[in-house]
Amino acid sequence: MSAAAELLRATILHTPRNPFNTEHALEAFADGAVVLSEGRIRAAGDYTAVASAHPGAEVRDWRGSVILPGFIDTHIHFPQTRIIGGLGWPLLDWLRLHALPEELRMADTDYARAVAAEFVHELARHGTTTALVFGAHFGPATECLFEAADAAGLRIASGLVLSDRNLPDPLCQTPAEADRLSRSLIARYHGRGLLRYAVTPRFALSATEPMLEVCQALLRDHPDVLFTTHLNENCQEIAEVAAAFPWAANYLAVYDRFGLCGARSVFAHNVHTTDAELSCLSDNGAAVAHCPSSNAMLASGIFPLRRHLAARVRFALGTDVGAGTGFGMLKEALQCHMMQRVAKDAITVTPAQLLYLATAAGADALGLSAETGDFSPGKSADLVRIEALPGTPLAAAFERAETHDALLAALIAQAGTETIREVRVAGKVV
Ligand SMILES: [Zn+2]
């Protein structure tokens, strides 16, 4: 063990196994420790055992705190940072009247730079260490996001948002421009530090077939970039996609025709989905970003979680800021729990499952399972230290929780940014 090793002593909670498939998947150590060195997890377990195996490690006594894996947000829009909280619209009106006017402001690169700085600050402040982010429709604004994320040390995948119809003119590119700008951004940012590129058409409704062909070519020529877009969010949107692509059997078929439904694909929402689409997602190993706050805010509907499980479709949580209500991934987990409780085919999503959806499931969706999401030795030391403020109901819950599940449930229900004491990516404080 190198002399630089650090041992963090606290209560440790993580989900190295999938709690939807395995009982007792929550791994918890009341008096636990995580050892890290050179940005990597070296061990996680009971303090006494871990400390005796790593006698040279520098000990940080964080007793009274809980350490969780860094949160992973699989769907969030950086240009919408300043418009959280538009109440009362369905999706297409919200886009036209609330979101797109703000996205147009990203043409001003100074404005975009300021928003990008706020955006990465908010991610870190909420304990989010990894995110798949919708960039802007403008190259320079998208560069601002990459630069800000790189400077902050966050693990971000993002890309220029592509559109060539049905949006205000300044938000559209020609397919040739989209191709040229995307390739230039991929060359500059994909693989730089912790950054990765994601090919990002806004949604099928704002893309022509030549634009989808550009996406296909970008993925073909760059075998490790991601793909992300929206799918089956709102019934009116689905009807308009069907009218725009009359040859498509369903919404997903539009993307699938261009080879865009694969193991590198993350589709946001999929609220109103068919069994054929679920099979296609599952067969191709594609993932879904489930954004319960946004689904409620825009009255899009309740995510068919049971059907995704039954079809073995991978899914993880996303905040969908700015249609979502904020950057907090524990709050998003709580919203998931609450909406599934009131769903017609109600399911009680357990605290361990919720933690998994906010951490390891996100890593899996983004192809980062070997790198982050839990505290298995060798993974990147991406973590959040949470400590309840003294005298609060959460502090009382910390003291009296009889089980790790109860402690985790209290955290999911109550822990806000005021409880987040430290956030690290690859061992470094962000
Ligand atoms: Zn979205």
Side-chain angles (χ1 to χ4, degrees):
M1 181 58 57
S2 84
E6 258 183 296
L7 183 153
L8 313 178
R9 184 177 187 181
T11 297
I12 312 293
L13 302 173
H14 70 143
T15 52
R17 295 170 294 281
N18 182 345
F20 288 101
N21 302 335
T22 316
E23 279 186 59
H24 312 297
L26 180 66
E27 199 168 277
F29 305 97
D31 183 9
V34 174
V35 173
L36 45 135
S37 69
E38 292 163 344
R40 298 270 154 196
I41 303 289
R42 301 303 170 189
D46 277 318
Y47 168 74
T48 310
V50 170
S52 66
H54 299 88
E58 189 179 338
V59 176
R60 303 202 190 284
D61 189 348
W62 290 355
R63 276 177 288 178
S65 295
V66 174
I67 298 177
L68 302 178
F71 302 128
I72 298 177
D73 189 337
T74 61
H75 184 67
I76 184 166
H77 297 253
F78 122 73
Q80 298 173 10
T81 302
R82 292 183 174 175
I83 58 150
I84 296 167
L87 303 183
W89 280 303
L91 172 68
L92 297 180
D93 293 343
W94 176 86
L95 268 176
R96 189 168 52 86
L97 298 169
H98 191 65
L100 296 182
E102 179 70 5
E103 299 237 2
L104 282 161
R105 292 192 187 100
M106 296 293 141
D108 176 347
T109 306
D110 289 335
Y111 185 80
R113 189 174 297 112
V115 173
E118 279 171 30
F119 176 79
V120 298
H121 180 76
E122 285 301 292
L123 285 178
R125 203 166 70 85
H126 286 80
T128 297
T129 53
T130 296
L132 176 57
V133 181
F134 258 62
H137 288 261
F138 306 98
T142 304
E143 286 173 32
C144 291
L145 172 70
F146 278 123
E147 296 289 344
D150 194 36
L154 294 174
R155 192 184 301 281
I156 296 291
S158 187
L160 179 72
V161 180
L162 308 179
S163 290
D164 65 342
R165 64 167 154 177
N166 289 332
L167 294 186
D169 269 351
L171 298 181
C172 292
Q173 314 96 350
T174 65
E177 281 167 352
D179 186 78
R180 181 178 57 78
L181 286 168
S182 300
R183 286 177 195 276
S184 150
L185 288 166
I186 291 168
R188 287 166 62 195
Y189 294 108
H190 182 63
R192 174 166 140 191
L194 300 175
L195 305 179
R196 289 196 302 160
Y197 198 83
V199 174
T200 311
R202 181 158 208 113
F203 58 169
L205 204 47
S206 70
T208 62
E209 294 182 25
M211 185 62 97
L212 296 170
E213 282 168 4
V214 164
C215 296
Q216 181 172 31
L218 290 169
L219 289 183
R220 185 190 59 222
D221 294 346
H222 303 94
D224 56 350
V225 305
L226 297 171
F227 173 81
T228 192
T229 190
H230 296 96
L231 174 68
N232 287 326
E233 180 172 3
N234 162 291
C235 295
Q236 190 190 344
E237 170 212 16
I238 294 167
E240 293 191 20
V241 168
F245 298 92
W247 49 261
N250 53 52
Y251 193 154
L252 183 59
V254 175
Y255 299 126
D256 192 37
R257 163 103 158 236
F258 296 93
L260 304 176
C261 178
R264 293 181 277 157
S265 305
V266 181
F267 294 99
H269 304 304
N270 205 32
V271 172
H272 305 280
T273 190
T274 62
D275 289 344
E277 288 170 300
L278 288 168
S279 296
C280 181
L281 290 165
S282 177
D283 291 347
N284 290 306
V288 168
H290 167 36
C291 311
S293 295
S294 167
N295 294 163
M297 279 290 270
L298 298 177
S300 298
I302 299 185
F303 180 70
L305 192 147
R306 269 190 196 279
R307 290 175 60 216
H308 281 72
L309 286 175
R312 300 184 166 275
V313 176
R314 300 185 292 139
F315 63 95
L317 286 170
T319 60
D320 198 19
V321 159
T325 54
F327 288 71
M329 287 296 292
L330 290 178
K331 174 188 60 62
E332 207 60 44
L334 178 65
Q335 181 76 9
C336 169
H337 177 83
M338 293 194 295
M339 286 177 76
Q340 294 304 320
R341 293 273 290 161
V342 299
K344 274 212 182 82
D345 56 348
I347 177 169
T348 298
V349 187
T350 67
Q353 289 166 344
L354 294 168
L355 177 64
Y356 174 77
L357 290 176
T359 57
D364 183 49
L366 305 191
L368 291 169
S369 281
E371 190 62 14
T372 188
D374 65 69
F375 298 133
S376 300
K379 289 197 182 183
S380 178
D382 300 356
L383 57 89
V384 184
R385 175 191 178 187
I386 298 179
E387 189 175 54
L389 296 184
T392 60
L394 184 59
F398 268 50
E399 275 174 30
R400 94 175 37 157
E402 288 182 358
T403 64
H404 295 300
D405 282 294
L407 173 59
L408 186 52
L411 276 177
I412 289 167
Q414 299 185 53
T417 50
E418 74 286 353
T419 67
I420 294 183
R421 290 284 306 274
E422 191 162 309
V423 180
R424 296 199 189 193
V425 177
K428 286 194 203 120
V429 177
V430 294

PDB file of all heavy atoms in Angstrom, residues 75 77 230 268-269 320, ligand 1:
ATOM      1  N   HIS A  75     -29.783  11.608 -17.017  1.00  0.00           N
ATOM      2  CA  HIS A  75     -30.474  12.495 -17.972  1.00  0.00           C
ATOM      3  C   HIS A  75     -30.687  13.878 -17.375  1.00  0.00           C
ATOM      4  O   HIS A  75     -31.491  14.050 -16.463  1.00  0.00           O
ATOM      5  CB  HIS A  75     -31.814  11.896 -18.405  1.00  0.00           C
ATOM      6  CG  HIS A  75     -32.509  12.709 -19.454  1.00  0.00           C
ATOM      7  ND1 HIS A  75     -32.009  12.840 -20.727  1.00  0.00           N
ATOM      8  CD2 HIS A  75     -33.628  13.462 -19.423  1.00  0.00           C
ATOM      9  CE1 HIS A  75     -32.811  13.631 -21.427  1.00  0.00           C
ATOM     10  NE2 HIS A  75     -33.797  14.035 -20.662  1.00  0.00           N
ATOM     11  N   HIS A  77     -30.304  18.358 -18.578  1.00  0.00           N
ATOM     12  CA  HIS A  77     -30.045  19.341 -19.643  1.00  0.00           C
ATOM     13  C   HIS A  77     -29.313  20.542 -19.053  1.00  0.00           C
ATOM     14  O   HIS A  77     -29.903  21.305 -18.279  1.00  0.00           O
ATOM     15  CB  HIS A  77     -31.364  19.841 -20.244  1.00  0.00           C
ATOM     16  CG  HIS A  77     -32.178  18.791 -20.922  1.00  0.00           C
ATOM     17  ND1 HIS A  77     -32.302  18.717 -22.289  1.00  0.00           N
ATOM     18  CD2 HIS A  77     -32.920  17.760 -20.422  1.00  0.00           C
ATOM     19  CE1 HIS A  77     -33.090  17.699 -22.612  1.00  0.00           C
ATOM     20  NE2 HIS A  77     -33.482  17.106 -21.497  1.00  0.00           N
ATOM     21  N   HIS A 230     -34.555  11.407 -26.452  1.00  0.00           N
ATOM     22  CA  HIS A 230     -35.824  11.198 -25.742  1.00  0.00           C
ATOM     23  C   HIS A 230     -36.672  10.141 -26.458  1.00  0.00           C
ATOM     24  O   HIS A 230     -36.562   9.984 -27.672  1.00  0.00           O
ATOM     25  CB  HIS A 230     -36.604  12.507 -25.673  1.00  0.00           C
ATOM     26  CG  HIS A 230     -35.929  13.579 -24.870  1.00  0.00           C
ATOM     27  ND1 HIS A 230     -35.154  14.556 -25.435  1.00  0.00           N
ATOM     28  CD2 HIS A 230     -35.911  13.814 -23.530  1.00  0.00           C
ATOM     29  CE1 HIS A 230     -34.699  15.368 -24.480  1.00  0.00           C
ATOM     30  NE2 HIS A 230     -35.127  14.936 -23.313  1.00  0.00           N
ATOM     31  N   ALA A 268     -34.240   8.647 -22.751  1.00  0.00           N
ATOM     32  CA  ALA A 268     -34.905   9.261 -21.607  1.00  0.00           C
ATOM     33  C   ALA A 268     -36.410   9.037 -21.678  1.00  0.00           C
ATOM     34  O   ALA A 268     -37.018   9.225 -22.735  1.00  0.00           O
ATOM     35  CB  ALA A 268     -34.604  10.756 -21.573  1.00  0.00           C
ATOM     36  N   HIS A 269     -36.956   8.616 -20.563  1.00  0.00           N
ATOM     37  CA  HIS A 269     -38.395   8.526 -20.258  1.00  0.00           C
ATOM     38  C   HIS A 269     -39.024   7.169 -20.552  1.00  0.00           C
ATOM     39  O   HIS A 269     -39.262   6.399 -19.655  1.00  0.00           O
ATOM     40  CB  HIS A 269     -39.187   9.673 -20.905  1.00  0.00           C
ATOM     41  CG  HIS A 269     -38.664  11.013 -20.491  1.00  0.00           C
ATOM     42  ND1 HIS A 269     -38.556  11.373 -19.171  1.00  0.00           N
ATOM     43  CD2 HIS A 269     -38.159  12.053 -21.200  1.00  0.00           C
ATOM     44  CE1 HIS A 269     -38.035  12.587 -19.091  1.00  0.00           C
ATOM     45  NE2 HIS A 269     -37.773  13.019 -20.305  1.00  0.00           N
ATOM     46  N   ASP A 320     -33.620  15.036 -15.202  1.00  0.00           N
ATOM     47  CA  ASP A 320     -34.239  15.811 -16.282  1.00  0.00           C
ATOM     48  C   ASP A 320     -34.433  17.289 -15.925  1.00  0.00           C
ATOM     49  O   ASP A 320     -35.448  17.878 -16.279  1.00  0.00           O
ATOM     50  CB  ASP A 320     -35.563  15.183 -16.743  1.00  0.00           C
ATOM     51  CG  ASP A 320     -35.997  15.689 -18.117  1.00  0.00           C
ATOM     52  OD1 ASP A 320     -35.146  16.229 -18.859  1.00  0.00           O
ATOM     53  OD2 ASP A 320     -37.186  15.551 -18.441  1.00  0.00           O
TER      54      ASP A 320
HETATM   55 ZN    ZN B   1     -34.968  15.625 -21.218  1.00  0.00          ZN
END
